[in-house]
Amino acid sequence: MSIPRKRFDTLVIGAGGGGLRAALQLSQAEANVAVVSKVFPTRSHTVAAQGGINAALANVLPDNWHWHMYDTVKGSDYLGDQDAIEYMCRAASHIVIELEHAGVPFSRLNNGKIYQRAFGGQSQDFGGEQAARTCAAADRTGHAILHTLYQQNIRAKTHFFDEFFAIDLIKDEEGYILGAVILSIETGEPYIIEAKTTLLATGGAGQIFRTNTNARINTGDGMAMALRADIPIQDMEFFQFHPTGIAGKGMLITEGARGEGGFLVNKNGERFMERYATHAKDLASRDVVSRSIAIEVREGRGCGPKGDHVLLKVDHLGADVVAKRLPGIRDTVLTFLHMDPVEKPIPVFPTAHYTMGGIPTNRYGQVVAPLGQGAEEPIPGLYAVGECACVSVHGANRLGGNSLLDIIVFGRAAGNDIIDFLKENRFHRPLDEGSVDQALSRLARWDQRGEGESVDALRQELQQTMEDYCGVFREEKVLQEGVNKVKAMEARLAAVRIQDHSSVFNTQRIEAMELENLFDVALATVTSALARQESRGAHSRVDYPERDDEHWLKHSLFYKKDHRLDFKPVRTKPLSVDSFPPKPRVY
Amino acid sequence: MNTLSKSRLAWRCRRGMLELDYLLQNFINTQYEILGPADLKAFQHLLETPDALLLEYLMGRTIPVDPVFCDVIQKIRAAVTY
């Protein structure tokens, strides 16, 4: 079969903020750039980032990049790499001004400067008073950034492949990444994109869990492609959960509901948070509230016919308070549950929100792995940025306002490093036909006909299993059972068949390949969670409730082959300032 | 504007936010076969709205200027089950 081939200097897979920021840097430097996206670029998940982007501009309160760095290191529960964190926090102010010049309509103060709001986890003077560090374009910062970057890329003549799905990376025997095999969703035709450099920017993997806040496109495609190219993925046990999502559906009910006096009850009407957090009660930290809800459900005190959620009461606050202070929550509940929270309590369950782990990179966006010489050797020609990557600035937990910063800072940094790489690597390497064939066989596998398990059913079973065995309630026995179950389910993938074998817009085939990706990422997550015998950041083990810096101040690396785990040290030395040594984390 | 096939429309219901995915995909999966040509056209047109504005419309926070959208938005909201 003759497959169309196209050549570019750089192939960017994923058109969210990270991918588009890198593409812009490259196109402006007159590199020939292709951006491949399975949906139209402005429908990437970056649009969902409402909060804003952190930068120590000091427009509202005194601020300093070093204080921002301290907060980020502390927020990461000391698992973040301090060189990357210093780089990010130092670059932040410049990056925000650059975005403003590119056209992002940031909200303003009366004096004309960029408005900045206070957010949890931000402090002045290394843990002192609250800081105001988050720059926002009203409540649609991600949307504004994404649209601006897309328009700038059009101007810079970036080549877009909209509605194309990346199947797998192409890799030669020396370990160089040479591009990818992609599929036109419209025609069902595969293409070979040969590229001197390839950047993965495919976003997170919230869809491995049943209840999650992520867009359904977030199936961990880039992480799975890396795994299949024998590249490990890092720190996958760290997944940020929000305690209150609409049960079974995932949409976020913000902390504001409890801040305004809302509280949680179990099926007996008991205000159970009083038992878990005597003083803070419903305002205890996110992980405590999340785990308490999970325990209530596990111990049979959940609500509803399946006993699979608890109730969030705001009905006692009265219609006026809810309408005035919680209008967004009321809209959400009215829309998705067809009920009014003024009259009835809201069914809630912890919802998966952000993937801290991902493809290991250094602060230049280069993908790094232990190849024999050291723990962090660059894989030639391969880069990764954003939620699919682990640079690692978020460590064990991410601060609000740092995810948009991460994608823009490291998108730009990767673009700059790629420009240097292209200067030294002026020609395309010979294509590795074996690697292409391997990618094509992944596609051809879905041509098998006949009866078999359905993609939908197996995906739902995987998501439910991950929620039950690798959610917020984690202990040895539960996680081990989770590993066993996910492995057993993965073995059933071979028996899955799709019923649509047409070429044009065959979305069943795409969903089948997304399911394969979900399995790779889910197995990495549950295996890494079982291995880490401590509680740190978002990874909370009932059987190991304390952080253990002596044994576990290190990054985990999961390999697809044999499901092997490896570890590497945390980079605790910043670029120019002193290290922040681990301390107990108290807010 | 030509009417797009169901699978093509369904792919365009994949958006950047879970809220939109839920509303739009649920609608097309349960209502496509019973939609009249006018509704189908309005729906297809609605999908061209940027995500942030589409969310405002579908959550009932903003009323679209174009009245043909209002009817289909009501149908999308009514199709949500619990």
Side-chain angles (χ1 to χ4, degrees):
Chain A
M1 184 167 71
S2 167
I3 297 168
R5 295 180 181 207
K6 292 180 186 290
R7 283 184 156 190
F8 292 91
D9 290 326
T10 303
L11 165 63
V12 176
I13 303 175
L20 291 188
R21 184 64 190 82
L24 181 61
Q25 197 75 0
L26 287 154
S27 288
Q28 285 175 339
E30 302 197 339
N32 188 15
V33 182
V35 175
V36 168
S37 177
K38 63 181 176 179
V39 293
F40 192 73
T42 52
R43 295 174 192 166
S44 304
H45 193 47
T46 302
V47 296
Q50 297 183 338
I53 178 166
N54 289 340
L57 292 171
N59 287 352
V60 173
L61 292 170
D63 210 351
N64 183 316
W65 67 262
H66 202 186
W67 302 347
H68 181 191
M69 178 183 173
Y70 168 83
D71 292 336
T72 305
V73 172
K74 179 182 170 191
S76 81
D77 219 350
Y78 301 91
L79 194 77
D81 286 337
Q82 296 192 22
D83 57 343
I85 294 175
E86 178 180 340
Y87 178 80
M88 178 177 83
C89 297
R90 285 181 89 116
S93 297
H94 176 68
I95 284 286
V96 166
I97 305 288
E98 212 174 60
L99 283 173
E100 188 197 33
H101 290 176
V104 176
F106 284 109
S107 304
R108 292 185 179 281
L109 295 161
N110 288 336
N111 65 8
K113 290 187 172 179
I114 292 173
Y115 165 79
Q116 297 190 279
R117 66 164 71 114
F119 231 81
Q122 298 174 350
S123 73
Q124 299 180 49
D125 204 15
F126 310 107
E129 297 290 298
Q130 174 73 43
R133 191 173 290 144
T134 307
C135 312
D139 62 350
R140 47 174 79 170
T141 315
H143 185 265
I145 290 176
L146 190 68
H147 278 253
T148 302
L149 290 174
Y150 180 63
Q151 300 296 340
Q152 292 285 356
N153 269 286
I154 295 292
R155 186 166 84 162
K157 299 197 168 37
T158 299
H159 192 103
F160 281 94
F161 288 83
D162 296 342
E163 298 182 332
F164 278 75
F165 183 79
I167 300 171
D168 258 325
L169 297 169
I170 305 169
K171 184 179 177 183
D172 70 13
E173 288 189 349
E174 285 178 56
Y176 278 78
I177 302 298
L178 310 175
V181 178
I182 65 170
L183 178 74
S184 161
I185 298 171
E186 179 169 15
T187 65
E189 202 181 5
Y191 286 72
I192 294 168
I193 305 287
E194 282 187 76
K196 297 170 198 163
T197 48
T198 303
L199 172 78
L200 294 168
T202 52
Q207 290 301 330
I208 61 174
F209 295 102
R210 181 182 81 126
T211 310
N212 72 79
T213 65
N214 285 195
R216 288 182 179 158
I217 50 177
N218 288 16
T219 49
D221 300 346
M223 298 174 196
M225 275 189 274
L227 283 170
R228 287 192 296 269
D230 299 324
I231 296 160
I233 56 176
Q234 179 178 324
D235 292 343
M236 289 304 292
E237 60 273 40
F238 298 102
F239 215 106
Q240 191 176 66
F241 283 83
H242 194 287
T244 52
I246 293 184
K249 296 190 175 182
M251 296 82 185
L252 203 68
I253 303 292
T254 64
E255 257 118 6
R258 281 169 290 134
E260 293 294 342
F263 59 85
L264 296 160
V265 294
N266 62 20
K267 77 170 180 188
N268 304 321
E270 182 203 0
R271 193 173 169 182
F272 60 85
M273 280 312 300
E274 291 177 343
R275 267 191 280 119
Y276 298 94
T278 323
H279 295 293
K281 296 177 189 163
D282 296 86
L283 295 175
S285 65
R286 281 184 181 181
D287 60 316
V288 170
V289 179
S290 294
R291 204 166 47 251
S292 306
I293 294 172
I295 291 172
E296 289 301 298
V297 167
R298 292 184 82 84
E299 294 184 351
R301 293 186 293 278
C303 308
K306 292 182 188 164
D308 59 357
H309 59 262
V310 298
L311 296 173
L312 173 60
K313 277 175 73 67
V314 294
D315 49 335
H316 61 290
L317 298 175
D320 285 350
V321 172
V322 173
K324 213 178 280 174
R325 303 221 188 112
L326 305 168
I329 288 169
R330 184 158 183 253
D331 290 346
T332 303
V333 175
L334 281 169
T335 304
F336 294 102
L337 296 175
H338 285 195
M339 53 163 258
D340 194 333
V342 170
E343 292 161 8
K344 281 167 87 176
I346 312 163
V348 294
F349 194 75
T351 184
H353 188 51
Y354 187 88
T355 322
M356 265 78 72
I359 306 157
T361 71
N362 59 21
R363 66 190 159 89
Y364 307 104
Q366 296 174 318
V367 175
V368 292
L371 300 174
Q373 305 297 322
E376 297 185 319
E377 292 171 72
I379 306 224
L382 187 63
Y383 291 76
V385 294
E387 197 172 336
C388 79
C390 184
V391 50
S392 134
V393 287
H394 308 305
N397 214 345
R398 178 187 65 88
L399 290 188
N402 268 357
S403 53
L404 283 177
L405 182 61
D406 170 17
I407 64 176
I408 302 300
V409 167
F410 293 105
R412 183 174 173 277
N416 284 334
D417 201 80
I418 290 171
I419 291 167
D420 291 341
F421 184 94
L422 291 172
K423 281 181 195 154
E424 288 164 22
N425 296 269
R426 299 168 65 88
F427 303 103
H428 289 270
R429 294 171 66 85
L431 193 65
D432 189 298
E433 301 291 347
S435 180
V436 171
D437 289 345
Q438 210 172 356
L440 290 172
S441 69
R442 182 171 175 233
L443 181 63
R445 173 260 176 271
W446 293 107
D447 292 337
Q448 293 175 16
R449 290 166 195 257
E451 293 298 313
E453 286 204 65
S454 87
V455 169
D456 275 350
L458 194 56
R459 182 182 53 237
Q460 282 171 25
E461 202 179 322
L462 173 67
Q463 290 171 323
Q464 184 70 58
T465 303
M466 285 299 287
E467 181 161 302
D468 292 344
Y469 295 90
C470 192
V472 291
F473 183 87
R474 295 179 172 186
E475 64 173 10
E476 188 86 10
K477 193 166 152 259
V478 170
L479 288 163
Q480 183 61 60
E481 216 173 315
V483 170
N484 298 344
K485 280 179 185 281
V486 175
K487 277 186 184 167
M489 261 186 274
E490 193 195 27
R492 284 160 48 198
L493 253 181
V496 174
R497 297 287 180 274
I498 56 173
Q499 298 310 314
D500 182 358
H501 294 281
S502 62
S503 300
V504 176
F505 266 92
N506 184 343
T507 51
Q508 276 192 18
R509 186 163 57 174
I510 303 295
E511 284 166 9
M513 287 191 282
E514 287 177 333
L515 177 63
E516 292 175 322
N517 292 342
L518 286 174
F519 265 104
D520 282 337
V521 176
L523 206 48
T525 305
V526 67
T527 306
S528 308
L530 172 63
R532 185 172 288 271
Q533 296 178 329
E534 66 160 350
S535 290
R536 182 186 297 272
H539 173 70
S540 179
R541 289 275 301 247
V542 182
D543 43 355
Y544 298 96
E546 302 299 326
R547 197 177 76 197
D548 177 359
D549 291 326
E550 192 187 335
H551 300 101
W552 288 101
L553 187 59
K554 58 187 178 183
H555 297 295
S556 65
L557 295 169
F558 172 88
Y559 290 81
K560 182 172 167 69
K561 194 176 177 211
D562 304 327
H563 305 146
R564 180 169 68 89
L565 273 178
D566 196 358
F567 298 92
K568 69 175 187 183
V570 174
R571 298 173 74 92
T572 51
K573 193 167 165 29
L575 301 171
S576 67
V577 293
D578 289 340
S579 294
F580 292 109
K583 283 199 289 193
R585 207 168 52 132
V586 184
Y587 284 107
Chain B
M1 185 163 60
N2 293 327
T3 310
L4 300 178
S5 70
K6 183 181 177 185
S7 58
R8 200 176 284 244
L9 270 182
W11 194 256
R12 307 235 154 119
C13 294
R14 282 184 155 224
R15 314 295 287 216
M17 303 176 191
L18 173 68
E19 287 79 0
L20 294 178
D21 283 342
Y22 191 93
L23 291 164
L24 299 171
Q25 291 171 24
N26 173 65
F27 181 68
I28 195 157
N29 289 337
T30 61
Q31 310 292 308
Y32 181 84
E33 275 74 20
I34 52 172
L35 281 181
D39 278 336
L40 209 52
K41 208 171 157 190
F43 182 62
Q44 191 174 319
H45 195 179
L46 182 71
L47 291 180
E48 288 167 19
T49 311
D51 280 10
L53 184 58
L54 192 52
L55 185 72
E56 293 279 300
Y57 287 168
L58 293 178
M59 299 291 280
R61 292 172 194 154
T62 302
I63 311 286
V65 179
D66 192 339
V68 298
F69 284 164
C70 295
D71 195 37
V72 75
I73 287 168
Q74 276 318 309
K75 287 181 175 153
I76 293 169
R77 286 175 62 89
V80 175
T81 52
Y82 188 71

